[in-house]
Amino acid sequence: MAENKNSLINVRGVNFQNTTLDGTVDALLAGVREKRQTALYTPNSEIVQACIEAPELYEVINSAELIIPDGIGVVKAAKILGTPFGAGKIAGCEVGEAFIKRLSETEHTVFLLGGKPGVAEQAAQKLSEKYPGIKFAGTHDGYFKKEGEENDAVIAQVNESGADVLYVCLGAPAQEKWIYQNRAKLTTVNALLGLGGSLDVYAGTVKRAPKIFIRLGLEWFYRLLCEPWRFKRMLKLPKFYFGTWKHKMTKG
Ligand code: UDP
């Protein structure tokens, strides 16, 4: 169920919130304060295209209470479809950091799940230096079997930690599927954030694109230059873009 039905923008079947970075952080904090479990997904156009190509993924993606557009492709598509976002792209990793900042002024605790071994610990350390009041309940890398005993052990570790907030950084759509399948078993967590490679950014093992690329809407291009293996994944982008025009022409 979405937070605020009035502010939804449907982009090719995915129900995004028409919100801001601060609005997203406020909604997450309200969920934690009121003990109302809230999940945040930050799909880009690759993920929306993945839903179009495998419609069973819509149920997983649309299950989150908060879905924000973390990609210039989604923002452009909304414009093409005549329902533009007020605030444009909202970067998931910026929401994640802004939420840590807000949580550092509270007693709520955070568990970081994901990334290669050592990355979550390093992210926790760097974030603690930057936001001294933040309380981490635990960390775990993202390279475990996502079902069976190994998965149960991760769930048990999060539950025993008593964390109020869980960052799930396993890459998309693996993290959204993991949250969808496991959120009911997480007994203390009231905010779940699916944030892709954000722990790498917080840990400093991956750099975000320079501001000029972000401003020009070319963050995806910078990532392609740094990580050329993304080329195959990014083939979904032109498909999504032209498909959106076709969708507009045929559906009005
Ligand atoms: N990752 C993980 N477990 C896995 C596969 C990937 O924890 O089984 C992590 C990986 O180390 C990286 C993140 O997930 O930190 C994916 O980052 P990426 O920038 O590719 O995210 P996406 O673009 O898919 O959102």
Side-chain angles (χ1 to χ4, degrees):
M1 284 283 262
E3 269 287 296
N4 178 354
K5 290 249 171 222
N6 298 327
S7 65
L8 291 183
I9 291 184
N10 184 301
V11 179
R12 310 290 309 278
V14 174
N15 297 320
F16 288 89
Q17 298 279 324
N18 187 13
T19 184
T20 59
L21 189 147
D22 287 343
T24 308
V25 173
D26 286 346
L28 286 167
L29 201 56
V32 173
R33 287 205 169 118
E34 293 156 24
K35 297 197 188 307
R36 204 168 13 86
Q37 199 184 57
T38 306
L40 168 77
Y41 294 166
T42 64
N44 58 17
S45 48
E46 259 175 62
I47 294 304
V48 181
Q49 183 64 27
C51 289
I52 295 165
E53 289 173 19
E56 64 277 8
L57 194 55
Y58 278 118
E59 189 182 324
V60 172
I61 300 298
N62 281 327
S63 68
E65 287 77 4
L66 297 167
I67 305 177
I68 57 166
D70 185 356
I72 200 71
V74 172
V75 169
K76 286 213 157 102
K79 214 178 248 178
I80 291 169
L81 296 169
T83 49
F85 288 101
K89 168 179 160 158
I90 306 175
C93 88
E94 288 176 22
V95 171
E97 183 161 347
F99 192 34
I100 292 283
K101 184 165 185 251
R102 290 284 289 281
L103 289 167
S104 73
E105 296 151 9
T106 74
E107 291 305 307
H108 300 302
T109 61
V110 184
F111 194 110
L112 302 180
L113 173 63
K116 298 208 174 94
V119 168
E121 286 90 330
Q122 202 173 327
Q125 194 193 324
K126 289 268 166 73
L127 289 166
S128 300
E129 285 163 17
K130 211 164 167 188
Y131 306 105
I134 191 69
K135 289 152 204 78
F136 287 104
T139 58
H140 195 290
D141 68 77
Y143 291 83
F144 59 95
K145 268 213 190 108
K146 309 298 184 294
E147 54 190 5
E149 275 178 28
E150 266 184 52
N151 196 55
D152 292 346
V154 171
I155 304 267
Q157 192 185 329
V158 178
N159 284 340
E160 278 157 26
S161 80
D164 301 300
V165 175
L166 179 63
Y167 282 47
V168 186
C169 303
L170 307 171
Q175 65 209 7
E176 288 80 6
K177 286 183 185 166
W178 190 89
I179 291 173
Y180 179 75
Q181 282 160 2
N182 296 292
R183 59 184 289 178
K185 294 179 239 163
L186 293 160
T187 51
T188 66
V189 169
N190 286 309
L192 296 123
L193 291 77
L195 292 179
S198 297
L199 296 185
D200 295 304
V201 175
Y202 305 150
T205 52
V206 169
K207 293 258 169 292
R208 270 196 87 193
K211 286 207 172 76
I212 181 77
F213 281 81
I214 296 176
R215 220 170 25 240
L216 294 174
L218 291 173
E219 194 166 6
W220 62 272
F221 182 61
Y222 179 82
R223 292 199 80 178
L224 183 60
L225 292 179
C226 297
E227 301 162 279
W229 55 266
R230 284 184 180 271
F231 178 72
K232 208 165 153 222
R233 276 177 63 168
M234 285 187 179
L235 288 175
K236 285 206 188 318
L237 302 183
K239 247 180 163 173
F240 175 74
Y241 185 74
F242 293 113
T244 300
W245 275 111
K246 195 168 159 211
H247 181 84
K248 180 176 166 71
M249 295 326 186
T250 50
K251 306 259 153 78

